[in-house]
Amino acid sequence: MIQPNIRPHPKFVNVFISGPSEKLKLYTKNLDKGNVIYGEKIILKMDEEFRLWDPYRSKLAALILRGTQKIYLERKTTCLYLGASSGTTISHISDIVSNGLIFGVEISERSLRQLIQNTSSRKNIIPILGNALNPQEYSMLIYKPVDLIYQDVSHPDQANIAIRNANLYLKEGGKIILFIKSQSIKSTEKPKEIFQNELNTLKSANLKVLEKINIDSYAGGHLGVMLEK
Amino acid sequence: MINSVNKYGVQITEEQIRERSKKLGESLAKKSISRASGKDDILIIQMINTLDLLKKTINLFSTRIREWYGLHFPELTDKIIEDHVLFSKLISIIGNRENFTKENLQDKFSFKDYTLNEIVTQSQNSMGAEIDLDNIQKYADLILSIELYRTRLENDLDELMNGATPNLTTLVGALIGAKLVASAGSIKKLAMLPASTIQLLGAERALFRSLKSSAKSPKHGIIFQWHGIRSAKPWHRGKISRLLSGKISLAAKLDYFSDKLLGDQLLNEVNQKIEEIKRKFPNPPKKSQKKSQNLSKKKRSKKRR
Ligand SMILES: C[S@@+](CC[C@H](N)C(=O)[O-])C[C@H]1O[C@@H](n2cnc3c(N)ncnc32)[C@H](O)[C@@H]1O
């Protein structure tokens, strides 16, 4: 087999790519060598392991492939991750913020248990069992304010979850990446109206919309929104 | 916070805070975890039964509203719109057939050009009568609010199933998974059932009928609703349903007895084997006479009901 030519992403720190631009593949450098999280493929190259990052499994990878301007992740970023699930995306973020920190909140006990099993040797992930709608519940574990809130929760009330968590934990000027699924809010409204309603609620809480990206082709009916506090 | 701690002369590094937080987070999560508490089962069964009823209700209500609104705009009822929910939406939002203009429809809906033109033309040449639409529109709103509740409930069930039986849910989806749990009685019971019983869950009535009338015994119950079986050639279905019920049995055991997540793998295996079956048995078996006999028997027994 020919080794893919893996090279750094031109814009994003610690994100790697291979292939031509129309068939770009994404990778992150495995922080926890020897372990895979969700059966992802691993490419070995000079002592390093590169984990293939699947845009159909991870909406952040989809955002990147759909051409987002920024992902607001640097080596030292501190991130609050809402809807951590069993660890697909959070593990790639953990690779990227190699000297940073991620608080991963998840409501499902089973998913979190899986996350803990998968990521216990990753020092930069702190798992938190909690409901993202009631962020004060987990205040004892979030010991410093965060630079970024990454929100991918399957819940109808996206805007309020973002606002409450931003109020408590996000730095002034900090960023939010969140995903809105048209269907999980109101089935009888048109997707456009749903997105608009959520955006209006976010704006009315003084969150500034920086960018909107449709990732429908990777995750049906989803829109990614970047905001600033 | 680090600063404030250091101010009081306590020597603690960020590294240590982080480690302790990680341990605390892990142990808090583990404490509240009690496997298969039984709470999930009860909720799953209630939710799937309610969903079932809601679906039937929406169908029933929709048939009624089609007839009623058909007095006013029969062409829409008869030919153009088959989707029940969309039909009520049109009545609720647009209402009078005179308002079925291109602009209104484009503004609120996303029809394909062909359908759009068809609706507009038919509305201009409608044979229907002028009647008071107020009550019909309220009825449409009622249907839509039931539908809204139904989709929310379905989302909630999806989430619950993903948490309680992730392997089963990945394999066959939340709805079929929940029906299997409900039919078996609980996740635990489903995990204990042999594959051959799982294959027939939900087909008990048909099985009973076949015993009485000595018709060919049915091959599939609830799992017949799985898209991979529904879309299969008739002579593949038996093989696929045996295959699937075996994997379902495995998935349920994984869900009940372990924390392993192998749903994707199980699904892959099923799909691969289906391809194999298709390759090995491209043509229907040649027992055509016997089959047609059975078929006519089945038809008859259906009519009698
Ligand atoms: C689409 S999944 C997230 C997938 C994950 N971000 C990834 O890409 O790996 C959504 C998750 O949100 C969780 N969730 C739903 N409601 C929640 C809430 N109120 N608080 C925290 N998590 C929630 C669900 O249990 C589920 O694991």
Side-chain angles (χ1 to χ4, degrees):
Chain A
M1 211 188 74
I2 325 162
Q3 275 284 31
N5 170 23
I6 296 184
R7 53 201 191 271
H9 191 286
K11 275 200 291 198
F12 306 130
V13 181
N14 269 350
V15 177
F16 298 84
I17 54 177
S18 79
S21 61
E22 44 331 320
K23 276 201 218 156
L24 210 60
K25 287 187 172 157
L26 297 177
Y27 306 83
T28 58
K29 207 192 290 175
N30 198 354
L31 201 61
D32 182 18
K33 283 191 192 160
N35 281 330
V36 293
I37 308 283
Y38 56 105
E40 69 277 16
K41 208 163 130 186
I42 295 235
I43 308 281
L44 293 171
K45 192 181 164 189
M46 321 226 285
D47 272 3
E48 295 291 358
E49 295 180 2
F50 292 88
R51 300 168 54 225
L52 186 62
W53 193 2
D54 182 352
Y56 293 95
R57 302 283 297 267
S58 169
K59 299 183 190 90
L60 183 55
L63 272 188
I64 295 178
L65 290 182
R66 300 290 287 148
T68 185
Q69 296 295 316
K70 290 196 170 154
I71 56 173
Y72 311 104
L73 294 172
E74 307 284 339
R75 288 194 180 83
K76 287 196 158 174
T77 301
T78 301
C79 170
L80 172 58
Y81 191 119
L82 305 174
S85 196
S86 53
T88 308
T89 300
I90 206 174
S91 66
H92 286 288
I93 296 186
S94 157
D95 287 345
I96 297 174
V97 300
S98 46
N99 297 316
L101 183 62
I102 314 160
F103 300 100
V105 178
E106 170 57 54
I107 199 169
S108 151
E109 295 175 0
R110 176 147 197 154
S111 299
L112 195 75
R113 189 160 58 194
Q114 197 66 42
L115 177 85
I116 292 174
Q117 269 181 18
N118 280 338
T119 64
S120 63
S121 46
R122 288 173 179 267
K123 291 199 172 129
N124 60 5
I125 297 180
I126 295 180
I128 299 175
L129 182 67
N131 182 346
L133 257 182
N134 307 321
Q136 66 290 349
E137 259 179 31
Y138 40 86
S139 59
M140 78 274 210
L141 282 170
I142 304 209
Y143 62 83
K144 64 179 191 182
V146 304
D147 308 304
L148 173 74
I149 294 179
Y150 182 94
Q151 175 175 329
D152 181 14
V153 289
S154 39
H155 192 281
D157 216 349
Q158 298 297 338
N160 277 317
I161 291 181
I163 292 166
R164 289 179 197 175
N165 282 279
N167 281 342
L168 279 182
Y169 303 123
L170 189 62
K171 283 181 191 163
E172 249 354 280
K175 308 293 190 287
I176 304 174
I177 298 179
L178 65 79
F179 298 93
I180 305 177
K181 187 180 177 190
S182 58
Q183 198 221 347
S184 71
I185 301 172
K186 265 194 185 172
S187 65
T188 50
E189 280 174 285
K190 273 185 80 171
K192 245 197 232 153
E193 292 165 10
I194 295 168
F195 292 140
Q196 207 48 56
N197 281 342
E198 291 291 295
L199 288 183
N200 289 341
T201 315
L202 289 163
K203 282 181 198 157
S204 67
N206 283 328
L207 296 170
K208 200 169 91 196
V209 177
L210 301 174
E211 203 181 349
K212 287 179 279 183
I213 296 211
N214 186 337
I215 53 165
D216 193 49
S217 52
Y218 293 109
H222 278 88
L223 185 74
V225 185
M226 269 57 86
L227 303 133
E228 183 177 60
K229 180 172 171 180
Chain B
M1 180 169 164
I2 301 172
N3 290 337
S4 64
V5 174
N6 285 344
K7 238 187 340 216
Y8 296 105
V10 184
Q11 286 304 313
I12 183 164
T13 61
E14 150 121 43
E15 182 75 25
Q16 285 168 319
I17 296 182
R18 174 185 301 199
E19 259 169 46
R20 283 179 202 178
S21 300
K22 188 172 175 82
K23 285 217 183 88
L24 181 58
E26 291 189 353
S27 67
L28 284 176
K30 279 179 187 147
K31 236 185 219 154
S32 64
I33 286 167
S34 56
R35 171 177 302 167
S37 55
K39 268 187 302 184
D40 286 351
D41 297 77
I42 298 167
L43 274 182
I44 289 168
I45 295 172
Q46 293 300 335
M47 283 161 96
I48 189 68
N49 288 342
T50 307
L51 277 171
D52 228 35
L53 187 62
L54 289 174
K55 221 177 236 167
K56 283 185 194 144
T57 307
I58 290 170
N59 281 338
L60 199 65
F61 281 24
S62 299
T63 324
R64 196 79 271 296
I65 204 170
R66 271 174 192 271
E67 208 172 299
W68 193 353
Y69 186 76
L71 298 175
H72 173 64
F73 186 0
E75 295 79 6
L76 190 73
T77 314
D78 295 342
K79 295 183 205 137
I80 316 176
I81 305 296
E82 283 183 0
D83 179 328
H84 282 334
V85 175
L86 180 60
F87 190 82
S88 281
K89 231 166 154 177
L90 284 165
I91 298 178
S92 166
I93 295 176
I94 300 194
N96 196 302
R97 63 166 187 257
E98 280 169 17
N99 301 331
F100 277 78
T101 59
K102 211 165 186 167
E103 296 71 48
N104 279 345
L105 287 167
Q106 271 170 339
D107 190 36
K108 303 276 184 195
F109 297 88
S110 23
F111 285 110
K112 297 216 169 76
D113 281 349
Y114 172 79
T115 322
L116 188 68
N117 289 331
E118 182 75 7
I119 299 176
V120 175
T121 338
Q122 295 283 4
S123 74
Q124 286 159 353
N125 306 318
S126 175
M127 319 246 290
E130 274 311 323
I131 55 168
D132 182 12
L133 293 174
D134 191 40
N135 279 320
I136 307 184
Q137 284 187 300
K138 284 184 186 140
Y139 190 27
D141 289 340
L142 174 67
I143 294 176
L144 290 176
S145 77
I146 298 176
E147 167 64 12
L148 173 60
Y149 174 69
R150 191 196 64 76
T151 45
R152 286 192 175 167
L153 193 61
E154 197 173 300
N155 275 333
D156 285 353
L157 177 67
D158 202 79
E159 215 163 279
L160 190 63
M161 286 294 292
N162 266 315
T165 58
N167 293 295
L168 180 65
T169 307
T170 307
L171 186 60
V172 293
L175 287 179
I176 295 182
K179 283 179 192 172
L180 290 169
V181 171
S183 185
S186 69
I187 299 171
K188 181 178 174 184
K189 284 183 185 156
L190 183 65
M192 307 285 198
L193 287 182
S196 54
T197 311
I198 292 178
Q199 193 183 351
L200 292 176
L201 280 179
E204 290 85 356
R205 265 171 58 206
L207 183 65
F208 188 57
R209 228 186 302 135
S210 85
L211 290 178
K212 274 205 314 196
S213 66
S214 78
K216 204 164 141 201
S217 67
K219 286 203 200 68
H220 10 243
I222 293 164
I223 64 171
F224 186 70
Q225 296 162 19
W226 190 60
H227 60 88
I229 297 184
R230 251 187 318 157
S231 65
K233 298 267 189 302
W235 66 93
H236 291 157
R237 287 182 186 159
K239 292 189 178 62
I240 299 178
S241 76
R242 269 195 300 282
L243 163 70
L244 183 67
S245 48
K247 298 291 182 197
I248 289 174
S249 168
L250 212 64
K253 288 182 175 58
L254 284 171
D255 285 334
Y256 187 72
F257 295 109
S258 83
D259 277 341
K260 294 207 176 78
L261 290 181
L262 298 172
D264 285 320
Q265 202 178 314
L266 293 177
L267 185 60
N268 274 341
E269 286 167 17
V270 169
N271 286 331
Q272 272 170 20
K273 292 237 169 85
I274 290 181
E275 288 310 311
E276 240 170 71
I277 292 174
K278 282 186 191 159
R279 242 182 293 122
K280 271 195 202 153
F281 305 96
N283 300 313
K286 288 188 198 116
K287 291 187 289 183
S288 51
Q289 239 190 343
K290 222 179 169 186
K291 246 210 171 145
S292 69
Q293 247 177 10
N294 272 326
L295 216 65
S296 59
K297 231 182 224 167
K298 255 191 208 156
K299 264 187 201 152
R300 241 180 288 134
S301 68
K302 234 185 207 161
K303 260 184 217 153
R304 244 187 282 134
R305 276 204 299 145

